Amino acid sequence: MDYARMRAIAEALGTYAERLEGTWCVEIGPAGPVLAMVWPSKRREGTVRRIREQLEAQLLGTRPGYICANGPEIEHPAIGRMHRPDAVVIPEAALDEDGFSVDSKQVLAAVEIVSPAGPSSSYDEKLADYPAMGIPHYMIVDPRTGTIKVHSEPCKGRYSSKEPYIFGDSVPFGPWTVETSEFRRYGKDG
């Protein structure tokens, strides 16, 4: 199926999702368009907020004009992929452009927080798609296990560098650092 047709199906699914209860997202992966329910747990949202705030503060000095946003879809039509990361570093001006998604060539980094229900596509599908989309830095935060993996250096459709961390570490992420001492695991106090 060509990408224009997949994109049209994804837009129709997005319109349908607006009528459903709960939070839904539409992505285009290897199997085509997918409508999936988002698991917005408080701890997951707290982790996204902490990462966004830290990156926002550092972007002022490292990449003026860039922001860390949550919500915009990123897309690479040539390889037929569209995803909605939990957080993404993009030029602020990209949010003023017409259209529904941000071109993946504008993305400096993507962050995914594994849901309480399981790793879904963060470890497999997106780990393959993000380097193919040309995204230089990808962080997977897993509150189920208290672990973090930072991927970088996309080469030939995969990341050639992977660094593991645990909650409590100061995590280098591209030119930034993410302090994780306040990250919380699912089902654990403190």
Side-chain angles (χ1 to χ4, degrees):
M1 180 182 319
D2 72 353
Y3 189 74
R5 183 165 155 80
M6 285 193 292
R7 189 68 169 99
I9 292 169
E11 287 179 26
L13 286 171
T15 301
Y16 174 74
E18 291 173 2
R19 298 188 308 246
L20 300 174
E21 288 189 33
T23 305
W24 297 83
C25 75
V26 177
E27 296 187 340
I28 301 174
V34 175
L35 175 64
M37 185 172 207
V38 178
W39 296 85
S41 79
K42 293 185 289 184
R43 290 212 170 152
R44 180 179 181 175
E45 295 305 313
T47 302
V48 171
R49 182 188 59 78
R50 287 179 181 98
I51 291 169
R52 283 190 58 224
E53 286 179 353
Q54 290 184 50
L55 293 178
E56 283 278 334
Q58 295 172 64
L59 284 165
L60 293 172
T62 60
R63 292 303 292 255
Y66 278 72
I67 61 169
C68 184
N70 65 333
E73 294 170 338
I74 58 173
E75 139 176 80
H76 193 299
I79 64 168
R81 297 293 187 268
M82 181 180 75
H83 292 291
R84 187 179 188 138
D86 292 314
V88 63
V89 176
I90 55 174
E92 185 172 20
L95 296 179
D96 293 327
E97 297 170 352
D98 194 27
F100 297 100
S101 60
V102 174
D103 186 326
S104 66
K105 294 176 189 140
Q106 295 180 294
V107 176
L108 294 182
V111 178
E112 296 286 355
I113 313 299
V114 176
S115 77
S120 65
S121 62
S122 299
Y123 286 111
D124 298 318
E125 185 177 306
K126 293 176 184 177
L127 188 53
D129 288 351
Y130 287 168
M133 294 170 82
I135 298 170
H137 307 284
Y138 176 36
M139 177 188 291
I140 303 171
V141 179
D142 193 339
R144 297 169 316 134
T145 59
T147 59
I148 301 156
K149 291 196 175 52
V150 174
H151 302 270
S152 60
E153 301 174 25
C155 180
K156 298 181 182 178
R158 66 181 192 84
Y159 288 112
S160 59
S161 177
K162 174 177 94 171
E163 298 296 327
Y165 299 93
I166 60 171
F167 285 16
D169 289 344
S170 294
V171 177
F173 185 47
W176 317 290
T177 300
V178 176
E179 297 297 335
T180 67
S181 61
E182 293 186 20
F183 287 13
R184 299 292 175 252
R185 292 182 61 184
Y186 297 138
K188 305 279 184 194
D189 290 330

